[in-house]
Amino acid sequence: MAETTYDVVIIGGGPGGYNAAIRAGQLGLKAACVDKGVNGGATLGGTCLNVGCMPSKALLHASELFEMAAKDFAGLGIEVAPKLNLVQMMQQKAESVSALTKGVEFLFKKNKVDWIKGAGKITGPGKVEVGGQTLAAKAIVIATGSEPAGLAGVTVDQKRIVDSTGALSLPEVPKSLVVIGAGIIGLELGSVWRRLGAKVTVVEFLDRITPGADAELAKALQRSLTKQGMEFRLGQKVTGAKTSKTSVALTVEPVAGGAAETIEADYVLLAIGRRPYTEGLGLESVGITPDKRGFIETDHWQTSAEGVWAIGDVTLGPMLAHKAEEEAVACIETIAGHVGHVNYGVIPSVIYTWPEVAWVGKTEEELKAEGRAYKAGKFPFTANSRAKINHETEGFVKVLADAVTDEVLGVHMIGPQVSEMVGEYCVAMEFRAASEDVARTCHPHPTRSEALKQAAMGVEGWTMQA
Ligand code: FAD
Ligand code: NAI
């Protein structure tokens, strides 16, 4: 058996794995990235590029414009009668995804990373086997990501009952779609299909949507999505599903107890979270035992086995591409003898619905639970001139700052394009800025970003434009 020696072998080619490989190449380490592709495909990029962030955003963008053309253009004096071409919408998604995965391939070549196709298995300290080939590695980085979580009684067949991967490629617009789980996937993909014409009902176990988001944002989002036609059934659990050729009958019961009922839909999307993926990885060969939920525990990305590291969705923390990317860089820099660092307090979250929701730092609920004294400043987009002239006034920005030091502790926003605005506060928080620092920073006019400044001014009670 041929054996090649590497400084670092990375298992998994998603945002964790491919960024680790590129950084390793940049730092002059001899690196290989072993990836088996997602869903039978043979492209780099993992969940994010192939069946996650990117295809979902492609459909969100296209469906958003479709709905705007149908509902908002006339008010701007543009008369059109949009007609859906679902095949083309899927095609443009596939083309963008393909360009992105090829981009990662190019970056591997540029940084002299060997891309080894196939399933990698750790067979002992410093050894990874792929399709009969053994790679010797001074360091192994596990970046094998996650997969959709299942639900007893609801079998995903990718025909009538789909997970996020199936929901990204439905062959038709459902007449009715039931989404199980009012989390990020459910609301984003539910939005896509509602905009294209489906009647969407979301069944959620908890009595609120988007757990983890600030409660005020979650309420505002639910109100807005309800107004758009999405129906929410909170505090309900799905106990079974019967599938026929053309529809699904779901049995739903109130969590608090009460009579069960049946909801019929032609498609069901199961989106109740994701779980870490370590199948066939050979963890036992190096003595790693995942925690109860299957996550690999780490200390500064180092696992309990010497020379074996882990990053991204397979480890604890938010399951987000940018979290995986930060960990990739920090992990490789540590392996290379530098000091790697991730500020877990400043990892932003975004829900790409309309309006978008974005936040970073602590929620009001978290600050209250910690007993931390804070002040809040809030600014509505109804008072923002750019939002007003664009007829997109929904939402607000809320800034939470320490009552004594004025340090920004959390920022929560809902409104069109807030995904592009939250980064400003990430930078501010990395520099441990006070709300006054943002309040006294000149922002361009007219932009939505002025709402960020006005909300910061609100912390000290001198918001001027509302
Ligand atoms: P992954 O991207 O899952 O990559 C792991 C890779 O490892 C895969 O290619 C897998 O096939 C491979 N692999 C696994 N085991 C082996 C093995 N033994 N040998 C070889 N290869 C192996 N996050 C965001 O930040 N923003 C978003 O907008 C966003 N949207 C999303 C939308 C959807 C529908 C979904 C499902 C997820 C979304 N996410 C989003 C989450 C994001 O995709 C993940 O957080 C991210 O992909 C995690 O990166 P990773 O590198 O840890 O793992
Ligand atoms: P999620 O954790 O965001 O939401 C799952 C929802 O399902 C929760 O509200 C939960 O209470 C509910 N739930 C759990 N069990 C249930 C049950 N039996 N019946 C009804 N409801 C139930 O998970 P989701 O939406 O599947 O997404 C997985 C992860 O993927 C996200 O947490 C996020 O990390 C990532 N993601 C990120 C995106 C982004 O950054 N924009 C987009 C999509 C996914």
Side-chain angles (χ1 to χ4, degrees), residues 122-459:
I122 303 172
T123 51
K127 302 265 181 237
V128 176
E129 204 179 281
V130 196
Q133 182 188 6
T134 300
L135 312 174
K138 291 183 196 153
I140 297 170
V141 177
I142 300 169
T144 49
S146 62
E147 61 178 351
L151 178 62
V154 182
T155 309
V156 171
D157 58 13
Q158 301 296 22
K159 289 193 176 89
R160 289 289 151 186
I161 303 184
V162 296
D163 59 18
S164 54
T165 300
L168 288 166
S169 296
L170 293 181
E172 60 178 349
V173 178
K175 282 192 276 306
S176 51
L177 171 69
V178 171
V179 176
I180 309 177
I184 308 190
I185 291 183
L187 300 185
E188 287 187 1
L189 295 179
S191 289
V192 165
W193 292 108
R194 187 206 53 73
R195 292 167 188 167
L196 300 182
K199 165 84 191 94
V200 174
T201 306
V202 183
V203 180
E204 164 61 46
F205 188 85
L206 301 175
D207 58 6
R208 57 162 290 174
I209 68 167
T210 59
D214 187 277
E216 194 181 2
L217 282 192
K219 266 197 202 118
L221 178 63
Q222 188 185 337
R223 222 178 6 251
S224 179
L225 293 175
T226 303
K227 223 164 61 195
Q228 293 167 36
M230 220 182 245
E231 187 187 330
F232 288 94
R233 309 194 47 165
L234 304 183
Q236 306 265 327
K237 61 180 178 191
V238 174
T239 53
K242 265 204 192 116
T243 311
S244 76
K245 252 189 157 162
T246 53
S247 66
V248 184
L250 280 181
T251 320
V252 176
E253 281 174 27
V255 173
E261 62 174 309
T262 304
I263 315 180
E264 292 269 348
D266 45 349
Y267 289 90
V268 168
L269 162 58
L270 181 64
I272 58 165
R274 293 178 62 82
R275 59 177 174 222
Y277 181 76
T278 54
E279 204 180 294
L281 190 55
L283 290 178
E284 61 293 342
S285 71
V286 284
I288 297 174
T289 311
D291 77 3
K292 282 201 300 283
R293 293 185 298 153
F295 289 100
I296 298 179
E297 291 169 297
T298 58
D299 178 5
H300 290 81
W301 321 290
Q302 167 83 60
T303 69
S304 57
E306 206 182 326
V308 184
W309 307 70
I311 56 172
D313 279 12
V314 78
T315 62
L316 291 159
M319 287 178 152
L320 297 171
H322 43 279
K323 178 259 195 184
E325 179 178 344
E326 290 308 302
E327 291 185 331
V329 171
C331 174
I332 293 296
E333 289 183 349
T334 307
I335 290 171
H338 304 277
V339 181
H341 174 71
V342 176
N343 182 353
Y344 287 96
V346 184
I347 294 180
S349 292
V350 175
I351 308 173
Y352 294 83
T353 42
W354 179 277
E356 289 182 340
V357 173
W359 72 94
V360 57
K362 306 263 180 169
T363 62
E364 285 208 53
E365 295 74 45
E366 284 168 339
L367 291 174
K368 279 178 189 147
E370 281 175 17
R372 185 133 181 205
Y374 67 94
K375 288 189 190 175
K378 206 170 145 188
F379 191 79
F381 282 111
T382 41
N384 172 269
S385 57
R386 185 67 185 275
K388 201 120 187 131
I389 48 163
N390 285 2
H391 308 285
E392 294 173 346
T393 51
E394 202 170 342
F396 59 86
V397 177
K398 177 167 80 174
V399 176
L400 308 173
D402 188 281
V404 179
T405 66
D406 193 31
E407 181 177 350
V408 177
L409 303 174
V411 181
H412 305 273
M413 42 187 106
I414 176 165
Q417 291 128 40
V418 291
S419 59
E420 300 291 352
M421 291 173 20
V422 70
E424 169 178 332
Y425 268 98
C426 295
V427 175
M429 289 174 71
E430 277 295 345
F431 283 86
R432 302 195 63 180
S435 78
E436 188 179 0
D437 292 320
V438 180
R440 294 190 185 276
T441 298
C442 185
H443 285 65
H445 174 77
T447 63
R448 295 181 154 272
S449 73
E450 290 170 283
L452 302 178
K453 175 186 166 89
Q454 293 286 330
M457 290 158 84
V459 172

